[in-house]
Amino acid sequence: MESEAQKKKVITTLFLIVLADMLGFGLIIPLLPYYVKQFGATDLMVGLLSMVYPLGQIFAAPLIGRFSDKVGRKRALLLSVGGTFLSLLTLGFARSITVILLSRLIDGLTGGNITVAQSYISDFTDEKNRAKSLGLIGAAFGLGFILGPALGGFLSRWGFSVPAFFAAGLSFVNLMNIIFLLPDSKPAKSSRQVPFTFEELKKTVATPHVGSLIFVKFFYSLGFTMFESSFALFAMRKLNLPLSTTSYVLAYVGLVLVFTQGFLVGKVTKKYEENKIVKMFVFVASPLLVLYSLSPNLITLLLILAPLSVSSALIGVSLSSLVTKSVERDKLGGTLGIFNSVDSLMRIFSPLLGAAVIQYFGPSFLGLFEGILVLIGGLIFLFVFLPRYIYFTSKKLAETFNQ
């Protein structure tokens, strides 16, 4: 295990890298509709553009994660951040919808920064402290999303290409941080002998406890991405909130998430194992999702959103930590990539599903659907994953004891 000083250096550097990356991402995403509209894009084209990045991520995250298993985390992170840098430069110089589409495709197909950062953390931390460090990465992710849109809105007064070039500058700083500050994490020797194929990823996912955990992630992610993508429409239809108030509410949720991931996760995981945290909070989050959509006013909504956000953050970090403990190091990056690609897949379907629920059933029923999805994930976790995971860990412990 690495020295404490080196661990702190790695975690701090990764925190800054993810923060800068998410700042850049947050800068661009809210401005894209306005950017492409000046080139005559239709509303449908705006929607298609928003799908390009997550579509690319579905394929890229597992492959770049697996690439990091074979050649080392540092090279994989350079590839991923380098792709983001190139995509942002392309976006800044874009003078047509086609070039903007190309820039989003480049970013989507090379984007695996979070997967590689999580793999890095797993290489440099022991299982006891891993969730705390993964929580810090999540906090950087959330902080970038909170600050990015505000900064992007400020910079856009000088033209929509300015935020793209500023974000490209952040990516360039990230490249320098990776080259000069981040120590390499060498791949496991056994990883070089494992073929770089989808078949190998498929074998890992087919492992009973890993496969069932991915199913848990599927339902958990669908429930909460529906909440994220449909909240603005819900707030408008249910409580008649103006855009400014909705933005403040989402910022409030983001701050609670950042506080939980950056501070509370470390405190909670010090006392409880990740499987116990998920088992407890998934059955807290499910009814809270039902209740928030029944809120009669803004004050009630805010009171419910606080514990809901805490529960969501604790579950999300704990699930990621459980993945790192469920596979060998030579398969970690690829498995985390598949796990994270579930989020990308859900972000494609959840806005449509959430809008359909609001239109055909009403905004008060949105939380019911989300709560049921999270509850299904909790039941799979409790009755399918947990017995298999306990068997896996006991077998692993027995093998270690016999060596």
Side-chain angles (χ1 to χ4, degrees), residues 12-74:
T12 302
T13 305
L14 287 172
F15 177 89
L16 294 173
I17 288 170
V18 172
L19 176 60
D21 188 63
M22 287 302 106
L23 263 175
F25 189 80
L27 271 164
I28 298 304
I29 294 305
L31 300 178
L32 265 181
Y34 302 95
Y35 202 174
V36 296
K37 280 288 185 180
Q38 67 183 358
F39 298 116
T42 63
D43 291 341
L44 179 61
M45 180 57 70
V46 173
L48 290 173
L49 272 171
S50 67
M51 292 175 62
V52 170
Y53 180 84
L55 275 172
Q57 282 282 276
I58 292 169
F59 301 100
L63 289 177
I64 290 179
R66 180 71 194 113
F67 183 69
S68 77
D69 290 333
K70 287 189 70 67
V71 304
R73 314 297 185 203
K74 187 167 184 171

Side-chain angles (χ1 to χ4, degrees), residues 172-198:
F172 182 76
V173 171
N174 265 350
L175 286 172
M176 296 301 101
N177 283 338
I178 295 166
I179 293 170
F180 296 110
L181 297 180
L182 201 61
D184 202 0
S185 177
K186 300 294 183 183
K189 290 181 180 179
S190 57
S191 183
R192 293 187 181 274
Q193 302 166 4
V194 179
F196 186 71
T197 63
F198 275 110

Side-chain angles (χ1 to χ4, degrees), residues 70-187:
K70 287 189 70 67
V71 304
R73 314 297 185 203
K74 187 167 184 171
R75 291 183 186 179
L77 202 52
L78 282 170
L79 170 66
S80 183
V81 175
T84 299
F85 175 64
L86 177 62
S87 75
L88 290 168
L89 280 182
T90 304
L91 181 63
F93 286 113
R95 293 298 176 264
S96 70
I97 296 173
T98 303
V99 177
I100 293 174
L101 182 67
L102 176 64
S103 74
R104 299 309 299 148
L105 185 61
I106 293 171
D107 201 11
L109 290 175
T110 58
N113 308 7
I114 301 301
T115 294
V116 181
Q118 290 173 329
S119 302
Y120 243 122
I121 289 290
S122 301
D123 292 343
F124 279 87
T125 57
D126 55 32
E127 292 190 353
K128 185 178 180 182
N129 297 304
R130 189 166 301 159
K132 177 183 178 181
S133 301
L134 289 172
L136 289 173
I137 296 300
F141 186 97
L143 198 57
F145 261 120
I146 293 171
L147 300 177
L151 185 57
F154 172 75
L155 293 173
S156 66
R157 66 177 66 186
W158 291 285
F160 291 128
S161 61
V162 173
F165 287 129
F166 184 86
L170 290 174
S171 292
F172 182 76
V173 171
N174 265 350
L175 286 172
M176 296 301 101
N177 283 338
I178 295 166
I179 293 170
F180 296 110
L181 297 180
L182 201 61
D184 202 0
S185 177
K186 300 294 183 183

Side-chain angles (χ1 to χ4, degrees), residues 61-69 73 115 118-119 200-207 209-211 213-214 217 319-320 322-342:
L63 289 177
I64 290 179
R66 180 71 194 113
F67 183 69
S68 77
D69 290 333
R73 314 297 185 203
T115 294
Q118 290 173 329
S119 302
E200 285 304 314
L201 290 174
K202 185 179 174 183
K203 286 180 183 177
T204 303
V205 174
T207 307
H209 65 287
V210 176
L213 188 58
I214 290 173
K217 175 72 168 180
L319 288 176
S320 296
L322 282 168
V323 173
T324 69
K325 298 178 180 182
S326 296
V327 294
E328 301 300 326
R329 186 186 168 194
D330 61 347
K331 299 176 181 177
L332 178 59
T335 307
L336 273 170
I338 293 173
F339 198 70
N340 290 332
S341 70
V342 172

